């Protein structure tokens, strides 16, 4: 039984179209509150002849209702919830009300909501309990802009997932800091270690909490229910 849930992101077409076209997912849900982004996404789906997607023009959060939203006309991927100054009012839903209770498994959840991740996860307790893989962008600065802490994010992912993959070098982070933290977690860590890098739960909690809340810091993370490394995600050249 294969079910899949996907959030549109700033790379929505890059992710959503291959997922819907190339996997055997029985269901694909996509959420896009920006009218401009939604039009582009609908056009791209049509051009790629992708029809098996349930696309909804809503934002996802902690509770249902409406919320203010602002569109970035220059960088559409930076459109975001802006409760005090948003020029648009958009519908707000929770993942738990959208993901059918009879779905046994959510194979993949993709989330890039510009700092609103904590609220989206709080409204997704039942969905996350059934999610095998969770691909998410982590930016402490974005979280702060939405009145959330990095520790709020870490506590939620640690509640639901047993391991994490850092998919590439952290954007905006001095790699000397990354190496210093990694060496404090693993005696055998080498600076040239390939990507993605695997963390057990206790290590990913320590790593994420040790990151500085500096401007522009962004990490692409994949969380998994599996405690042991996935063979499909072994770094290139690895025999794992």
């Amino acid at each position: 039984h294969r079910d899949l849930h996907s959030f549109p992101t700033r790379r929505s077409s890059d992710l959503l179209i291959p997922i819907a076209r190339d996997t055997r997912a029985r269901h694909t849900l996509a959420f896009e509150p920006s009218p401009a982004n939604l039009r582009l996404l609908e056009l791209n789906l049509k051009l790629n002849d992708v029809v098996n997607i349930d696309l909804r023009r809503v934002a996802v959060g902690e509770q249902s209702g409406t919320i203010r939203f602002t569109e970035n006309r220059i960088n559409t991927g930076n459109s975001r919830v802006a409760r005090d100054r948003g020029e648009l009012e958009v519908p707000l839903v929770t993942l738990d009300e959208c993901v059918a209770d009879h779905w046994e498994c959510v194979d993949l959840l993709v989330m890039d909501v510009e700092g609103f991740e904590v609220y989206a996860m709080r409204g997704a307790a039942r969905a996350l309990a059934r999610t095998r893989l969770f691909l998410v962008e982590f930016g402490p600065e974005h979280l702060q802009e939405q009145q959330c802490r990095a520790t709020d994010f870490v506590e939620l992912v640690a509640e639901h997932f047993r391991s994490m993959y850092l998919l590439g070098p952290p954007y905006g982070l001095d790699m000397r800091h990354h190496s210093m933290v990694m060496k404090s977690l693993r005696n055998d860590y080498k600076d040239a270690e390939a990507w993605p890098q695997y963390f057990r739960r206790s290590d990913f909690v320590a790593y994420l909490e040790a990151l500085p809340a500096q401007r522009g810091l962004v990490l692409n993370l994949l969380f998994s229910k599996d405690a042991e490394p996935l063979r499909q995600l072994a770094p290139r050249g690895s025999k794992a």
Side-chain angles (χ1 to χ4, degrees):
H1 183 85
R2 298 177 62 83
D3 290 305
L4 184 143
H5 174 93
S6 175
F7 264 89
T9 71
R10 68 181 62 184
R11 299 167 299 278
S12 57
S13 297
D14 293 341
L15 290 173
L16 182 60
I17 290 173
I19 286 171
R21 185 181 55 203
D22 300 335
T23 71
R24 293 175 294 160
R26 293 177 59 181
H27 304 280
T28 303
L29 297 179
F31 302 85
E32 178 53 75
S34 163
N37 285 347
L38 185 71
R39 288 191 295 270
L40 291 173
L41 182 54
E42 288 174 330
L43 176 61
N44 214 335
L45 292 172
K46 185 175 182 179
L47 290 172
N48 285 275
D49 196 27
V50 176
V51 296
N52 58 328
I53 292 178
D54 182 356
L55 179 57
R56 308 181 185 188
R57 192 182 74 81
V58 297
V60 177
E62 187 174 6
Q63 59 189 13
S64 299
T66 59
I67 200 163
R68 306 303 299 182
F69 188 87
T70 187
E71 289 190 306
N72 187 321
R73 304 294 182 180
I74 299 174
N75 177 8
T76 58
N78 197 40
S79 300
R80 63 183 64 202
V81 168
R83 284 170 287 191
D84 297 329
R85 62 186 186 281
E87 70 275 10
L88 301 174
E89 184 175 77
V90 300
L92 182 69
V93 299
T94 70
L95 274 181
D96 278 344
E97 70 185 78
C98 295
V99 177
D101 288 337
H102 67 269
W103 288 11
E104 297 174 6
C105 174
V106 178
D107 291 320
L108 174 66
L109 171 62
V110 182
M111 186 182 293
D112 179 0
V113 289
E114 299 299 313
F116 211 63
E117 289 82 6
V118 167
Y119 300 102
M121 284 191 281
R122 285 174 179 167
R126 296 197 307 276
L128 286 169
R130 290 175 283 156
T131 297
R132 180 169 172 259
L133 296 171
F134 179 38
L135 178 62
V136 62
E137 185 177 89
F138 173 65
E141 180 187 14
H142 293 165
L143 292 169
Q144 289 179 354
E145 290 172 355
Q146 297 290 353
Q147 291 78 54
C148 292
R149 302 170 301 167
T151 52
D152 297 328
F153 176 98
V154 175
E155 288 171 3
L156 284 164
V157 291
E159 179 182 347
H160 292 285
F161 299 98
R162 302 174 69 186
S163 61
M164 181 191 85
Y165 297 85
L166 179 58
L167 299 180
Y171 180 81
L173 180 69
D174 188 328
M175 288 305 294
R176 290 173 296 181
H177 182 93
H178 170 78
S179 295
M180 178 183 67
V181 175
M182 292 300 296
K183 289 174 182 176
S184 73
L185 298 175
R186 303 177 190 164
N187 293 330
D188 60 346
Y189 180 78
K190 302 293 190 296
D191 287 341
E193 185 169 324
W195 307 92
Q197 295 183 2
Y198 164 81
F199 299 74
R200 291 183 173 87
R201 177 156 47 200
S202 59
D203 285 347
F204 80 62
V205 169
Y207 177 82
L208 294 176
E209 289 184 344
L211 292 173
Q214 69 186 51
R215 185 173 181 83
L217 175 63
V218 176
L219 287 75
N220 288 308
L221 306 175
L222 180 69
F223 293 92
S224 173
K225 283 284 198 293
D226 297 295
E228 297 303 317
L230 298 172
R231 182 175 296 274
Q232 304 95 309
L233 290 173
R236 291 185 179 181
S238 171
K239 298 181 180 179

